Amino acid sequence: MSKATLTSGRRAPVAHYVLAAAFGAVATIAVALLVGVTNAGNFWPAAGVGAMCAAYPAFSLGGKIFVTNHTVARDSHGEESVESLWMKQAGAGAFLDVLVATLVVAIVLMLRGDDVDALPVLLGLIGLSVVDAGLRYAVIRHRSLR
């Protein structure tokens, strides 16, 4: 079997690459125009910054939508991996921790009668959930690999 035969099934049709590039260009231009219009005093600099910020995600999304279905082989058992199981366990434990922390903070605030801005509290809970899930994942991984 030649090398061309091995890779021929792994390439998307040329039209899909063109569609991905067109999607990326249109999305980049749309974001650039939107950013430029919202900064009317500095339209061109703002549009340029918007285009630079949007180009990579737009072209990547175009590739994901139009090309990867032809080029990436999906693992039929990918969701059954050990890492996925560790992540599910860490997420479930972190959810319970954040739920308990939310209840404790709500009860303390209710009993004290203090008025607190919601944004710092919510950001604290988000930070707690990220750190908690990360630490739980690290501990589960460490215990499993010992």
Side-chain angles (χ1 to χ4, degrees):
M1 199 179 284
S2 69
K3 186 171 179 100
T5 306
L6 289 174
T7 59
S8 65
R10 308 272 305 164
R11 295 197 44 94
V14 174
H16 288 252
Y17 290 101
V18 172
L19 284 171
F23 178 87
V26 167
T28 300
I29 291 168
V31 169
L33 290 174
L34 181 66
V35 171
V37 167
T38 58
N39 295 294
N42 297 319
F43 178 84
W44 290 111
V49 170
M52 286 189 290
C53 292
Y56 182 77
F59 283 96
S60 295
L61 182 60
K64 171 73 174 141
I65 292 171
F66 296 107
V67 177
T68 57
N69 287 337
H70 298 282
T71 59
V72 176
R74 302 209 189 279
D75 183 7
S76 60
H77 301 290
E79 294 177 3
E80 299 171 8
S81 70
V82 173
E83 291 84 4
S84 177
L85 178 64
W86 293 342
M87 213 45 217
K88 287 177 186 174
Q89 290 173 348
F95 172 76
L96 290 176
D97 291 346
V98 170
L99 182 63
V100 169
T102 303
L103 290 172
V104 168
V105 169
I107 290 170
V108 168
L109 289 175
M110 180 184 67
L111 293 176
R112 288 185 62 192
D114 293 337
D115 287 337
V116 178
D117 289 334
L119 184 61
V121 175
L122 291 174
L123 290 175
L125 287 172
I126 291 170
L128 172 66
S129 66
V130 169
V131 170
D132 191 358
L135 288 174
R136 282 180 171 273
Y137 179 84
V139 168
I140 291 169
R141 182 178 183 270
H142 177 72
R143 287 182 181 168
S144 297
L145 295 178
R146 253 189 319 169

